[in-house]
Amino acid sequence: MKSMSPDCRLPTADCRFAEFAVTTNFSFLTGASHPEELVACAVALGLAGIGIVDRNTLAGVGRAHVYAREHEIGPEKLRVVTGARLVFADGTPDILAYPQDRAAYGRLTRLLSIGNLRAEKGDCILTFDDLLDHCEGMQLIVMETCTLTRPPVPHSPSPRPVRGEGRGEGPDECTQVVETIPAPRVRRFTQEEWQASRPVANPLTLALSPRAGRGDRQGNLLDRLLRQAPGRVWLAAAMTYGRGMRRALARRVALARATGAPLIATNDVLMHTPDRRPLADVLTCIREGTTLDAAGRRLAANAERHLKDGEEMARLFREAPGVIEETLRFLDGITFSLDELKYDYPDETREGFTTPQEALEAFTFEGAKRRYPDGVPTQVAQALKDELRLIAELKYAPYFLTVHDIVRFARSQDILCQGRGSAANSSVCFCLGITEVDPARHELLFERFISAERKEPPDIDVDFEHERREEVIQYIYGKYGRHRAGLAASVITYRGRSAIREVGKAFGLTEDTVSALSGTFWGGSSGAIEDQQARRLGLDPGEARLAQAIRLADELNGFPRHLSQHTGGFVITRSRLDDVVPIMNAAMEDRTTVEWDKDDLDALGLFKIDVLALGMLTCLRKSFEFLDKHYGERLTLATLPAEERAIYAMISRADTIGVFQIESRAQMSMLPRLRPQKFYDLVIEVAIVRPGPIQGDMVHPYLRRRQGLEPVKYESRELEAVLHRTLGVPLFQEQAMKIAIVAAGFTPSEADRLRRAMATFRRVGTIGTFRTKMIEGMAERGYDREFAERCFKQIEGFGEYGFPESHAASFALLVYSSAWIKCRYPDVFAAALLNSQPMGFYAPSQIVRDAREHGVEVREVDINCSDWDCTLEAISAAPTVMAGTSPAIHAIEPHQSLPTGAPSFGPGLKPEAGAGRSICDPLQPSRTEADSTVWMAGTSPAMTARALHPRHAGMQGDIRTTHAIRLGFRQIVGMREEDMETLVARRGRGYDSVRDLWLRSGLSPAVLERLAQADAFRSLGLDRRDALWAVRGLNRAGDKDDLPLFAGRAPQECEPDARLPSMPLGEHVVEDYRRLSLSLKAQPVAFVRDRLARKGILRSEELAQRATGERVTVAGLVLVRQRPGTAQGVIFMTIEDETGIANIIVWPKIFERLRTIVIGARFVAVTGKLQNESGVIHVVADHVQDLTPMLSLLSNAGSADVSALAHADEIRRPPTGDQRGKLGSPGSRAARPPSLAIEAPKSVESRRPGEVARHVKRADIHRVLPKGRNFQ
Amino acid sequence: MPDGPPIKFRWRRVLHEVAAVEGPERIAPEWWKAQAPALTRDYFRAEDTQGQRFWLYREGFYARETETARWYMHGLFG
């Protein structure tokens, strides 16, 4: 068999070729290459053009276009044209639609919008008739088949003699051609088999036969299409090595001849290189919900659908002359480019003025008068003039007006908001009320806020209170209509965890293995799983299948999965939005989104305004309300007393739990070193603990210069101008860009491209070219190469989280404002924070703890005192509710309500002892034997000196709090707001018994039970167990007392006293955590302190007395784990014991070893070296031990039964009848953690305390305690 | 890339001259299986001058996978 194949090389003709059927990975789970990869590959193959056509979407075209533009791939090199692959719902073969000009593009986007809006989110329903209505000006390529529902496998699904079962199994060995060894057995196939794909002598002769190409469905369809779009219809031919490939080509040739539509060559591309075949197969499996082994023919038979060069395409199509040349003709017909998209700002915001500019100036000067009633300061007036001139020049007035309009609406609704972004911090914005950073008050010397040279689109993001942003969004839809306003898309991509999970499933790995593998990822992090990690899981990374799965998961990483809506990026147009970009339904009702994400919009010059949600604004608004109501202070962000020393003193001590931005571990450890003294320091603080400066290694030089340890010097005179405010160290995004311009010789437009590359460089990987340019450019100009490297590294760091100075300034204002409130009114701050949950780093229990450490009294949730939200109660005020009147309260003996067995409730705390005080706090958070927080005990009504934690003693004179926080019902897990509103509305002068509450509020016993479990009946003198007993004892339906007539009567307490065994304090605490996720009674660790002490484990407060370098062990509940992307895998843990919190650093090496404990444990002991740097204490872990099981001791702790504490285990408490519940469904009541399950009394005889079943499922206790929050 | 059909082949000592042929139909190996055949196959249906019908395949891409692709007889049509 020596070369019996004919020579397949064509005589070299001109093989210029353009590929028009290119599916990218924005055809989710179908395309196996990024648009960028396809464009890059097309360039490498020397193609004349590439047409990106995703399935009923334009989502990927922006990426391809931008890639070509950023890489200066001109049309002479490669033309990237825009289209869509229309996949019809009515069985019409797929049609590739390419708009020839801008008008046709608008028709395409409208067509897709129609289809999108007909379908659920992510789907598109189109019919052939829709296309006929919109096809004017479009060039159309008709593919061979409809690929709807089925994956677009090669055109005729191939049988797999080698793979499948049944026929064709196993090739006959030894039947090698030319060899004379006869085969032992040769399979025979039938005549039909043969007919199915009969050889063709020459496709052309077949095509020319009189019967060819007539009367089939495609013929009819083509006729209609050709009538509608004469001269603009092509027939696609693809040679992808399926069965009967040549015969199929012959049919296409014949059809083309019969209809007159020219044939055009494509390769129906799914990937840029054949190497992506495994990934393409995996994608198919994910899409079909099957495994590689089961997928069978749904997988592509071969890897041929990749980009091929002109020569190869010409060879493949040698039997159909002219089809390659046709691609060039097709390309010539298209003039449209995405660059033609021009954005028109909406113009109704000029509101009666002749021009938007006039309107803007009028609003600005009006605002200036309001902001500066005593006259506009000269430098502000000058700034206004300059800025307005620039805005006029760049015609940005409509943009500012649009933002102004939205902000004005928010203010009219009392929704707190603040702008940020590159254009936000201008005098104009301040006067328009968009921002609150007063240019006159804060010495901010902003660079010109928009660069005229760079022509970058203005960018203002506005943050709104997170609870009320929806109102703003609906206002925008209402004002502009859904046809003109849409949300930007957000491309959800596969990340480490989701990638390995999906790939693992496709490989048929067991659920356990997949979970274990995905568990190695931290949050949403990505990156490949390393061998050692796999080995630690007991998996062999050398095993071929596992290795393949891991490799493919890494390849899948970063692939788009689906489009979601951006959190708040709005696109608003003057005319129809669907003329610019396809729109689609969002997952949420009444929302439409566009198909492009914010980077695409930005790159294509479309205007976007970010309407974002910010929890801190909610918190601040609520704080301002409290201040107004309880302290008579009317404050706003702009009028808060500025630059108070006490505030900076607090910040410098890193006493910043809950404070905006600077509450994270990294920020807190920076604060004592940076010691902010003025507003601008906060701006720096906000910006410096960011990936940019950290990666660029700018932090330490800045700190050293600030502390005077290193002289401030500038690399050059030009750089001094750029860097003088940050002591010669670039910290802000715009500084990095300025450096590129003044020091590396970038043109402003190059710098702008660099800025965009920063945002996308990970995806596109284009920043490398800039790198060389910048470093070489700086070196040429005499800069130190090492300095240049650092500058560039910093720019890379800005990639995802760049912080421009103006942005940092807006944030810094929120930092200062929240710090001010926290410092002056910790009660107000904590209550507002609790009422704004979920937000921020810390859980309610830490917020409460921090407030108490600042001398704030925190009172328990109570049916007679609480509202839904947390409220403030005057401390010295006389009892507010039912002052000493209710007989029901005194009818209950104190010993009943306050379990004497628990050491926590000392004699002084019985209800009658609190004569002069509100009945609402019969049970003060008190010291217990286990609780060493002595400083907290002295909350007296008179309150001469505040009881501050020694750590905060210096704040004595700064705090102005005179109120206590009353926790709200919102703190109770699983409570409904409406129910509690009813309770509050009908409370009147107060409820005097459980029964009274039941009858008057009309709440179901289940709700009352929940209140009892949350221990909310203390004002009635009932602890949770007593209250639960009383609730369970309520006469149920059918009782005459249920009748409305009797509802108002004071009920009789006829039930005999139930002498319930007292509940140990530890169990109370566990129950508090279970029901309220915090406890005011004690901190859980206190109960195991003896055991910890025996092991030599320190209290966290003792760490301050230890020297740096000493080896120590501390233990605590894990509150927060944080792994900043920049810290090279270092994990920061915060743990809490009864004396405070301790900060732990876990280095990657240790983390690798103790991964499961660090991620999974709730209670840990950490051993390591102590580091005390300017009062910031860290323990650098060398060992972490999981103490979580120890928490199961809690249920007994505090009771007299010491032996139980020592030998607590499940066996000693055999499960009682209720444990049967375990067998029930997980959601059933019986299966709920039954620790408080007190059987409802069934008869009088049985109502004896001894028969009250009490069973604690210990194993479950640790689950009640917080799992700790993870942050990136 | 030489992926053309055979023009003539010898099988069981008989030389067959190909009159008509369809192919190649390319079947790539099941990459995820450890014992998967490592080479891609190009299947051809061929009719010789005598009217006998064959299904044969060539194993291995020239250049990319192997230097010496080999031919096998997969089956006959009735």
Side-chain angles (χ1 to χ4, degrees):
Chain A
M1 179 82 202
K2 307 285 178 296
S3 181
M4 289 179 134
S5 305
D7 183 12
C8 42
R9 299 265 162 210
L10 282 187
T12 38
D14 178 24
C15 287
R16 291 287 282 169
F17 165 70
E19 176 63 66
F20 287 99
V22 177
T23 303
T24 77
N25 57 10
F26 278 82
S27 298
F28 304 129
L29 299 179
T30 301
S33 295
H34 295 276
E36 293 90 346
E37 290 172 329
L38 287 156
V39 172
C41 184
V43 172
L45 293 174
L47 298 193
I50 182 170
I52 304 292
V53 277
D54 281 308
R55 299 166 64 81
N56 291 337
T57 178
L58 293 176
V61 299
R63 302 281 169 95
H65 179 81
V66 170
Y67 180 86
R69 193 174 65 193
E70 308 279 280
H71 287 76
E72 294 171 335
I73 300 167
E76 70 295 335
K77 210 191 234 170
L78 175 83
R79 280 191 61 194
V80 180
V81 290
T82 298
R85 181 184 191 122
L86 305 177
V87 180
F88 296 94
D90 60 2
T92 308
D94 292 359
I95 294 178
L96 316 182
Y98 282 94
Q100 292 177 312
D101 51 26
R102 173 67 181 84
Y105 172 79
R107 279 185 285 276
L108 177 60
T109 54
R110 238 176 278 169
L111 171 67
L112 292 173
S113 301
I114 289 171
N116 284 341
L117 293 179
R118 266 187 205 142
E120 283 295 297
K121 176 199 170 224
D123 261 338
C124 182
I125 299 173
L126 285 176
T127 65
F128 185 57
D129 290 337
D130 296 327
L131 173 63
L132 292 181
D133 292 342
H134 289 84
C135 69
E136 192 190 333
M138 289 186 201
Q139 292 186 174
L140 305 167
I141 299 177
V142 182
M143 304 299 286
E144 266 186 76
T145 55
C146 173
T147 58
L148 189 81
T149 66
R150 286 292 100 198
V153 284
H155 305 124
S156 39
S158 311
R160 312 246 168 119
V162 190
R163 284 183 201 176
E165 293 170 21
R167 90 187 155 174
E169 178 119 61
D172 184 33
E173 292 167 17
C174 306
T175 49
Q176 192 179 5
V177 184
V178 182
E179 295 295 326
T180 52
I181 306 161
R185 168 175 68 87
V186 171
R187 248 170 202 285
R188 294 206 159 259
F189 298 94
T190 62
Q191 183 71 27
E192 291 73 46
E193 258 307 316
W194 177 256
Q195 288 299 341
S197 177
R198 204 150 39 88
V200 210
N202 180 350
L204 280 183
T205 48
L206 178 76
L208 288 172
S209 73
R211 290 187 304 119
R214 297 275 297 279
D216 63 350
R217 183 149 192 269
Q218 278 233 358
N220 284 333
L221 181 125
L222 279 169
D223 286 343
R224 289 177 68 197
L225 201 56
L226 279 161
R227 269 201 302 280
Q228 200 76 16
R232 289 184 277 114
V233 180
W234 278 259
L235 270 180
M239 298 286 275
T240 53
Y241 292 83
R243 172 165 296 187
M245 170 169 85
R246 292 172 68 227
R247 176 167 287 271
L249 178 64
R251 280 196 300 268
R252 295 304 270 181
V253 173
L255 187 62
R257 274 173 205 273
T259 57
L263 205 60
I264 187 168
T266 78
N267 201 38
D268 208 356
V269 168
L270 284 180
M271 46 200 161
H272 68 298
T273 80
D275 302 338
R276 281 288 160 88
R277 173 171 165 252
L279 186 60
D281 286 344
V282 166
L283 291 172
T284 302
C285 292
I286 298 173
R287 187 181 67 223
E288 299 280 324
T290 183
T291 63
L292 287 162
D293 293 307
R297 295 183 188 182
R298 285 173 285 186
L299 302 179
N302 57 51
E304 292 304 317
R305 288 175 66 181
H306 60 88
L307 275 180
K308 293 180 177 174
D309 64 19
E311 199 178 329
E312 171 68 3
M313 290 299 281
R315 187 186 70 83
L316 282 170
F317 284 93
R318 61 192 176 276
E319 286 169 333
V323 294
I324 304 294
E325 291 79 357
E326 202 58 39
T327 62
L328 300 179
R329 208 169 68 80
F330 190 92
L331 189 62
D332 286 340
I334 300 168
T335 61
F336 174 72
S337 152
L338 282 176
D339 285 330
E340 289 174 48
L341 293 188
K342 229 179 34 253
Y343 183 74
D344 288 322
Y345 292 103
D347 75 342
E348 58 260 65
T349 45
R350 64 189 160 90
E351 300 184 14
F353 291 90
T354 349
T355 65
Q357 184 70 21
E358 262 179 47
L360 182 66
E361 291 182 5
F363 288 132
T364 305
F365 289 119
E366 190 189 308
K369 256 184 248 157
R370 200 175 49 243
R371 288 285 197 197
Y372 305 104
D374 308 326
V376 182
T378 358
Q379 94 259 25
V380 176
Q382 185 58 40
L384 284 178
K385 229 176 96 193
D386 293 346
E387 289 175 14
L388 285 169
R389 201 193 55 240
L390 193 59
I391 291 170
E393 200 178 301
L394 297 169
K395 300 192 173 61
Y396 285 158
Y399 180 84
F400 286 85
L401 287 173
T402 311
V403 180
H404 169 241
D405 176 66
I406 294 168
V407 166
R408 192 174 47 180
F409 164 77
R411 261 208 316 271
S412 74
Q413 304 296 308
D414 283 325
I415 301 170
L416 203 56
C417 61
Q418 194 190 215
R420 57 178 156 109
S422 65
N425 287 102
S426 67
S427 305
V428 169
C429 284
F430 180 69
C431 292
L432 289 175
I434 295 169
T435 53
E436 302 290 340
V437 182
D438 184 345
R441 267 170 78 190
H442 302 291
E443 272 182 67
L444 294 173
L445 298 163
F446 286 117
E447 302 297 314
R448 295 169 92 193
F449 67 116
I450 311 169
S451 153
E453 307 164 311
R454 273 189 276 148
K455 286 232 155 143
E456 61 181 22
D459 171 29
I460 301 178
D461 303 340
V462 190
D463 292 311
F464 297 88
E465 292 175 37
H466 71 322
E467 287 178 2
R468 302 188 61 193
R469 185 181 60 134
E470 188 59 29
E471 298 171 40
V472 180
I473 289 178
Q474 289 309 328
Y475 168 76
I476 294 172
Y477 275 128
K479 177 162 178 129
Y480 300 99
R482 271 174 53 146
H483 63 294
R484 291 175 55 206
L487 281 168
S490 156
V491 181
I492 309 296
T493 56
Y494 282 99
R495 312 289 301 196
R497 191 178 291 198
S498 52
I500 188 65
R501 179 153 298 175
E502 296 291 332
V503 174
K505 269 195 242 160
F507 271 84
L509 302 183
T510 63
E511 188 59 45
D512 287 354
T513 312
V514 172
S515 301
L517 286 171
S518 68
T520 61
F521 288 98
W522 176 275
S525 68
S526 48
I529 296 171
E530 279 151 32
D531 286 2
Q532 47 168 339
Q533 288 172 14
R535 250 179 237 117
R536 200 164 299 119
L537 297 169
L539 301 169
D540 174 14
E543 198 261 313
R545 230 170 136 98
L546 184 68
Q548 273 175 330
I550 291 173
R551 185 187 70 76
L552 286 168
D554 191 38
E555 204 166 49
L556 182 62
N557 218 326
F559 260 51
R561 289 171 89 167
H562 59 92
L563 293 183
S564 173
Q565 62 185 46
H566 185 256
T567 45
F570 261 100
V571 192
I572 305 171
T573 48
R574 179 186 293 180
S575 50
R576 298 175 57 154
L577 181 58
D578 63 3
D579 225 22
V580 180
V581 56
I583 58 178
M584 56 192 186
N585 291 321
M588 280 171 83
E589 202 55 35
D590 294 330
R591 296 231 177 140
T592 38
T593 63
V594 302
E595 285 188 348
W596 290 337
D597 76 358
K598 61 180 172 53
D599 295 336
D600 297 332
L601 292 168
D602 188 28
L604 298 172
L606 301 187
F607 153 66
K608 169 186 71 81
I609 168 176
D610 271 356
V611 178
L612 302 172
L614 195 59
M616 183 46 72
L617 286 171
T618 312
C619 171
L620 286 172
R621 202 239 319 149
K622 291 179 174 179
S623 297
F624 290 145
E625 281 171 9
F626 276 131
L627 285 173
D628 188 15
K629 190 170 162 202
H630 296 282
Y631 293 97
E633 291 231 44
R634 295 191 69 101
L635 293 172
T636 67
L637 286 179
T639 62
L640 216 62
E643 303 300 68
E644 292 193 346
R645 190 167 299 170
I647 315 303
Y648 290 107
M650 181 187 84
I651 292 173
S652 296
R653 290 192 296 112
D655 178 13
T656 52
I657 284 181
V659 175
F660 186 60
Q661 282 282 311
I662 56 170
E663 61 173 344
S664 72
R665 269 308 343 129
Q667 289 276 5
M668 276 166 113
S669 53
M670 185 67 67
L671 288 168
R673 286 187 264 170
L674 195 71
R675 304 195 65 78
Q677 302 301 314
K678 56 181 194 294
F679 185 73
Y680 196 76
D681 294 342
L682 293 181
V683 179
I684 286 174
E685 170 73 35
V686 165
I688 200 170
V689 187
R690 301 292 296 180
I694 293 174
Q695 274 182 20
D697 200 13
M698 299 298 181
V699 178
H700 292 286
Y702 180 82
L703 283 176
R704 280 198 301 272
R705 289 176 182 205
R706 200 181 149 84
Q707 291 164 353
L709 302 173
E710 170 183 312
V712 177
K713 62 175 173 41
Y714 301 97
E715 310 281 328
S716 72
R717 178 97 43 90
E718 296 86 42
L719 283 187
E720 180 167 358
V722 179
L723 301 174
H724 68 279
R725 269 176 304 148
T726 51
L727 309 179
V729 181
L731 297 178
F732 300 112
Q733 193 179 31
E734 54 268 64
Q735 287 178 321
M737 296 185 54
K738 267 281 170 60
I739 291 174
I741 296 173
V742 305
F746 277 49
T747 66
S749 84
E750 278 172 334
D752 195 36
R753 283 221 304 279
L754 174 62
R755 178 182 67 88
R756 271 204 292 276
M758 286 180 207
T760 56
F761 84 98
R762 262 173 238 276
R763 196 176 66 222
V764 183
T766 62
I767 209 152
T769 49
F770 288 115
R771 182 194 168 84
T772 327
K773 189 170 163 53
M774 175 145 173
I775 291 169
E776 294 310 316
M778 285 180 75
E780 268 171 39
R781 285 165 183 77
Y783 290 95
D784 183 24
R785 193 170 280 271
E786 190 252 353
F787 175 73
E789 291 268 359
R790 278 195 295 148
C791 287
F792 193 79
K793 266 211 191 116
Q794 185 184 358
I795 288 177
E796 280 186 326
F798 280 136
E800 282 177 31
Y801 314 97
F803 249 21
E805 184 182 23
S806 56
H807 190 106
S810 277
F811 269 16
L813 184 69
L814 300 183
V815 171
Y816 180 81
S817 306
S818 51
W820 189 90
I821 296 167
K822 178 180 161 69
C823 177
R824 297 300 185 195
Y825 298 98
D827 53 335
V828 167
F829 188 65
L833 258 184
L834 289 171
N835 289 344
S836 307
Q837 289 295 308
M839 62 165 282
F841 260 76
Y842 298 95
S845 77
Q846 285 85 58
I847 296 167
V848 165
R849 176 194 189 96
D850 186 60
R852 293 168 93 187
E853 288 185 359
H854 287 83
V856 177
E857 181 189 338
V858 182
R859 298 173 179 175
E860 303 197 310
V861 182
D862 193 284
I863 53 149
N864 274 324
C865 309
S866 289
D867 286 353
W868 171 254
D869 279 332
C870 300
T871 48
L872 297 184
E873 293 176 355
I875 289 176
S876 49
T880 48
V881 195
M882 306 189 308
T885 53
S886 171
I889 289 178
H890 299 295
I892 295 168
E893 301 273 307
H895 69 266
Q896 262 181 280
S897 59
L898 298 169
T900 46
S904 58
F905 313 120
L909 289 163
K910 289 177 186 171
E912 66 267 46
R917 130 167 62 138
S918 161
I919 60 147
C920 298
D921 46 56
L923 191 93
Q924 282 296 323
S926 55
R927 63 178 292 210
T928 69
E929 286 169 5
D931 190 349
S932 70
T933 50
V934 182
W935 50 270
M936 226 192 263
T939 13
S940 77
M943 190 63 97
T944 45
R946 220 172 298 278
L948 292 174
H949 190 283
R951 228 184 2 253
H952 309 307
M955 291 177 74
Q956 194 65 257
D958 301 331
I959 297 176
R960 299 174 188 160
T961 286
T962 57
H963 287 67
I965 297 173
R966 169 67 65 186
L967 294 181
F969 293 120
R970 66 182 299 139
Q971 226 40 69
I972 305 176
V973 178
M975 210 46 120
R976 283 179 16 156
E977 190 171 354
E978 303 90 89
D979 286 346
M980 292 305 102
E981 273 165 8
T982 311
L983 182 150
V984 172
R986 301 189 183 164
R987 187 153 60 195
R989 291 176 57 244
Y991 298 108
D992 56 15
S993 68
V994 172
R995 192 177 180 77
D996 181 33
L997 172 64
W998 178 49
L999 292 174
R1000 283 206 286 135
S1001 69
L1003 293 174
S1004 70
V1007 175
L1008 301 190
E1009 222 169 88
R1010 208 161 283 157
L1011 286 168
Q1013 283 161 339
D1015 208 5
F1017 286 89
R1018 293 277 180 176
S1019 63
L1020 300 180
L1022 302 172
D1023 85 342
R1024 56 163 48 93
R1025 183 166 288 166
D1026 298 321
L1028 201 54
W1029 175 260
V1031 171
R1032 295 271 169 93
L1034 290 172
N1035 293 324
R1036 296 298 159 100
D1039 193 302
K1040 70 173 165 48
D1041 285 353
D1042 275 353
L1043 297 173
L1045 198 63
F1046 300 95
R1049 284 187 48 200
Q1052 295 162 322
E1053 296 287 338
C1054 54
E1055 219 175 274
D1057 287 350
R1059 300 250 162 200
L1060 303 178
S1062 66
M1063 192 180 212
L1065 181 59
E1067 202 173 328
H1068 265 300
V1069 169
V1070 170
E1071 282 308 307
D1072 281 347
Y1073 269 92
R1074 192 197 301 278
R1075 307 298 173 185
L1076 300 157
S1077 69
L1078 60 88
S1079 178
L1080 299 177
K1081 299 184 182 85
Q1083 210 273 353
V1085 179
F1087 298 101
V1088 290
R1089 178 51 66 193
D1090 289 352
R1091 297 188 144 224
L1092 299 179
R1094 254 177 276 142
K1095 292 184 177 191
I1097 295 176
L1098 300 178
R1099 293 188 169 97
S1100 63
E1101 67 181 4
E1102 294 172 273
L1103 294 179
Q1105 292 124 41
R1106 304 286 164 143
T1108 294
E1110 203 173 318
R1111 202 152 177 282
V1112 294
T1113 305
V1114 276
L1117 301 178
V1118 181
L1119 301 183
V1120 176
R1121 302 173 197 89
Q1122 194 189 5
R1123 181 153 82 161
T1126 47
Q1128 281 114 39
V1130 177
I1131 306 245
F1132 297 99
M1133 272 202 324
T1134 308
I1135 63 174
E1136 179 192 56
D1137 68 9
E1138 74 278 23
T1139 67
I1141 54 181
N1143 302 311
I1144 312 297
I1145 292 174
V1146 186
W1147 289 103
K1149 250 194 183 156
I1150 307 292
F1151 177 60
E1152 288 312 324
R1153 204 154 41 79
L1154 302 168
R1155 206 174 180 87
T1156 43
I1157 295 178
V1158 173
I1159 293 180
R1162 296 169 195 227
F1163 181 33
V1164 293
V1166 180
T1167 306
K1169 274 213 177 93
L1170 187 117
Q1171 257 183 17
N1172 190 336
E1173 213 177 313
S1174 327
V1176 185
I1177 300 170
H1178 281 106
V1179 176
V1180 183
D1182 52 45
H1183 190 69
V1184 183
Q1185 194 191 346
D1186 186 359
L1187 297 183
T1188 311
M1190 204 187 268
L1191 293 174
S1192 53
L1193 299 176
L1194 250 66
S1195 66
N1196 272 9
S1199 78
D1201 185 5
V1202 184
S1203 65
L1205 195 125
H1207 304 285
D1209 56 36
E1210 288 222 65
I1211 295 127
R1212 292 206 30 187
R1213 284 169 176 262
T1216 48
D1218 224 33
Q1219 294 287 320
R1220 280 184 315 238
K1222 275 187 189 166
L1223 300 172
S1225 70
S1228 74
R1229 271 182 49 156
R1232 274 194 330 219
S1235 71
L1236 258 187
I1238 300 171
E1239 299 277 323
K1242 291 181 190 82
S1243 64
V1244 180
E1245 288 78 41
S1246 71
R1247 288 181 199 164
R1248 249 177 259 127
E1251 290 173 34
V1252 174
R1254 170 165 173 266
H1255 14 65
V1256 179
K1257 194 171 143 206
R1258 294 320 180 46
D1260 143 81
I1261 285 174
H1262 68 267
R1263 244 174 282 141
V1264 171
L1265 294 161
K1267 192 167 171 280
R1269 295 179 171 191
N1270 289 355
F1271 293 93
Q1272 282 278 24
Chain B
M1 196 181 295
D3 59 1
I7 297 168
K8 42 182 131 178
F9 59 90
R10 187 184 302 279
W11 180 61
R12 290 183 174 167
R13 296 183 207 181
V14 182
L15 186 70
H16 302 270
E17 278 197 53
V18 175
V21 70
E22 171 64 83
E25 178 187 2
R26 182 160 293 169
I27 308 291
E30 297 176 286
W31 52 268
W32 61 92
K33 285 194 176 156
Q35 283 85 30
L39 300 176
T40 302
R41 297 174 179 183
D42 278 347
Y43 282 79
F44 292 91
R45 288 150 184 254
E47 190 169 340
D48 71 5
T49 43
Q50 312 297 308
Q52 239 193 311
R53 292 154 179 186
F54 304 91
W55 203 348
L56 12 67
Y57 68 88
R58 176 180 49 221
E59 194 175 69
F61 262 147
Y62 279 114
R64 205 192 306 166
E65 289 179 352
T66 173
E67 290 304 312
T68 53
R70 311 213 301 168
W71 287 88
Y72 293 88
M73 183 62 68
H74 180 64
L76 303 172
F77 291 95

